[in-house]
Amino acid sequence: MCSVVLLAVSACSQNDATSPKTVRKLAGSAEAVRAREQMEQEYRKTITHWDAHTALTLGLVTVDDSCMGGRAKELFFQDGDDRYKIRCAMQVDAYFGADPRHVSDTIDGILTAGDPDGSPIPFGHDFIYATKVVDYYRGKTGDPQGPGTGEPNQLSGGPTVTLIWDQVRQKGKRELIEELPACAPSDPPVHRCLREPASTSVTNMRRKYGMLFKLTFSGDYFNVYKDGQTVTHW
């Protein structure tokens, strides 16, 4: 229990978990709102670029945005969640339809769109593993990750961007993009969940196009630490 001595008040407050009221106040601050809007706007702009400059056809966009309060002082199993008052993060997923008969051309086209300097697509032909994936689908090479590893289904553009797709050649059970999880009730500015359009499902898109690609962006955009430091990531 915290001491009632005045000098201990500051240290005591830094050891406490953030109250829901404080989380809501900080999540609704002008700085948090600005960072949130900028991150989502940039993600959506990039998704539009993918739709316009690749063979992929955009069918669905989801947004999951949440702000979490920091925990009380962690004495054991420390993961850093006791260092901040609030941490806000966003994940945006874009689901695209594609022709399963032309996977190699589709991925190669993505690399071509990512080649120019300044392209928002982080995959280009200088990504050696990605070119091996294209060669795999064209029947020029074996499994890109080594013999016996099977059909690839993912490219990573750093810690914040991932592209996955339905397997179409794997023998036996194929890994497919999963159906959307249900949206938890939105409670802005602490939590927001969007499915656009809400009537679209992964199953319906796969039935229409044959296969799916899923592009995921994720990252923190607003942190306030217990030492008073505020960090925006956008």
Side-chain angles (χ1 to χ4, degrees), residues 144-193:
Q145 298 182 70
T149 56
E151 181 178 359
N153 68 339
Q154 177 175 316
L155 296 176
S156 295
T160 61
V161 184
T162 304
L163 179 70
I164 63 174
W165 57 88
D166 289 340
Q167 291 182 329
V168 296
R169 290 181 53 181
Q170 184 76 4
K171 294 180 180 179
K173 186 176 181 180
R174 296 181 296 146
E175 289 189 32
L176 301 176
I177 293 170
E178 296 181 350
E179 190 58 76
L180 301 178
C183 244
S186 290
D187 182 24
V190 176
H191 173 73
R192 191 166 51 108
C193 179

Side-chain angles (χ1 to χ4, degrees), residues 1 7 25 42 49 72 89 117 125 133 137-138 140 143 146 178 188 202 206:
M1 181 178 294
L7 293 178
K25 179 180 179 181
E42 191 62 27
H49 186 92
D117 291 340
H125 284 95
V133 171
Y137 280 111
R138 287 179 173 162
K140 295 182 178 180
D143 301 342
E178 296 181 350
V202 165
R206 187 176 290 116

Side-chain angles (χ1 to χ4, degrees), residues 154-233:
Q154 177 175 316
L155 296 176
S156 295
T160 61
V161 184
T162 304
L163 179 70
I164 63 174
W165 57 88
D166 289 340
Q167 291 182 329
V168 296
R169 290 181 53 181
Q170 184 76 4
K171 294 180 180 179
K173 186 176 181 180
R174 296 181 296 146
E175 289 189 32
L176 301 176
I177 293 170
E178 296 181 350
E179 190 58 76
L180 301 178
C183 244
S186 290
D187 182 24
V190 176
H191 173 73
R192 191 166 51 108
C193 179
L194 300 177
R195 303 287 185 261
E196 300 174 348
S199 59
T200 300
S201 70
V202 165
T203 300
N204 289 340
M205 283 188 63
R206 187 176 290 116
R207 186 179 297 119
K208 179 177 181 178
Y209 296 105
M211 73 174 295
L212 298 185
F213 281 71
K214 176 184 174 184
L215 179 65
T216 297
F217 302 92
S218 61
D220 291 358
Y221 61 85
F222 181 71
N223 289 2
V224 178
Y225 291 87
K226 289 183 179 179
D227 63 6
Q229 181 185 17
T230 298
V231 179
T232 57
H233 298 265

Side-chain angles (χ1 to χ4, degrees), residues 100-146:
R101 298 169 298 178
H102 304 293
V103 181
S104 60
D105 290 340
T106 298
I107 297 177
D108 192 45
I110 291 171
L111 303 186
T112 298
D115 282 337
D117 291 340
S119 172
I121 297 176
F123 312 112
H125 284 95
D126 57 348
F127 187 178
I128 302 303
Y129 174 74
T131 62
K132 290 182 178 180
V133 171
V134 173
D135 288 341
Y136 166 87
Y137 280 111
R138 287 179 173 162
K140 295 182 178 180
T141 62
D143 301 342
Q145 298 182 70

Side-chain angles (χ1 to χ4, degrees), residues 21-154:
K21 181 178 180 180
T22 298
V23 171
R24 183 169 295 277
K25 179 180 179 181
L26 292 173
S29 67
E31 197 168 7
V33 170
R34 182 166 56 251
R36 181 179 301 121
E37 291 176 346
Q38 289 175 339
M39 175 172 272
E40 183 174 346
Q41 181 180 36
E42 191 62 27
Y43 284 167
R44 287 182 179 273
K45 180 180 177 181
T46 301
I47 290 168
T48 299
H49 186 92
W50 277 73
D51 189 35
H53 293 86
T54 73
L56 301 174
T57 301
L58 180 63
L60 175 65
V61 175
T62 71
V63 179
D64 291 279
D65 171 21
S66 62
C67 293
M68 299 177 59
R71 296 181 179 178
K73 182 65 175 179
E74 297 174 320
L75 300 179
F76 305 101
F77 308 109
Q78 298 177 356
D79 60 10
D81 283 352
D82 60 348
R83 295 177 54 230
Y84 59 82
K85 289 183 179 180
I86 186 175
R87 178 169 64 90
C88 297
M90 182 183 299
Q91 177 171 317
V92 177
D93 295 316
Y95 294 77
F96 298 89
D99 189 334
R101 298 169 298 178
H102 304 293
V103 181
S104 60
D105 290 340
T106 298
I107 297 177
D108 192 45
I110 291 171
L111 303 186
T112 298
D115 282 337
D117 291 340
S119 172
I121 297 176
F123 312 112
H125 284 95
D126 57 348
F127 187 178
I128 302 303
Y129 174 74
T131 62
K132 290 182 178 180
V133 171
V134 173
D135 288 341
Y136 166 87
Y137 280 111
R138 287 179 173 162
K140 295 182 178 180
T141 62
D143 301 342
Q145 298 182 70
T149 56
E151 181 178 359
N153 68 339
Q154 177 175 316

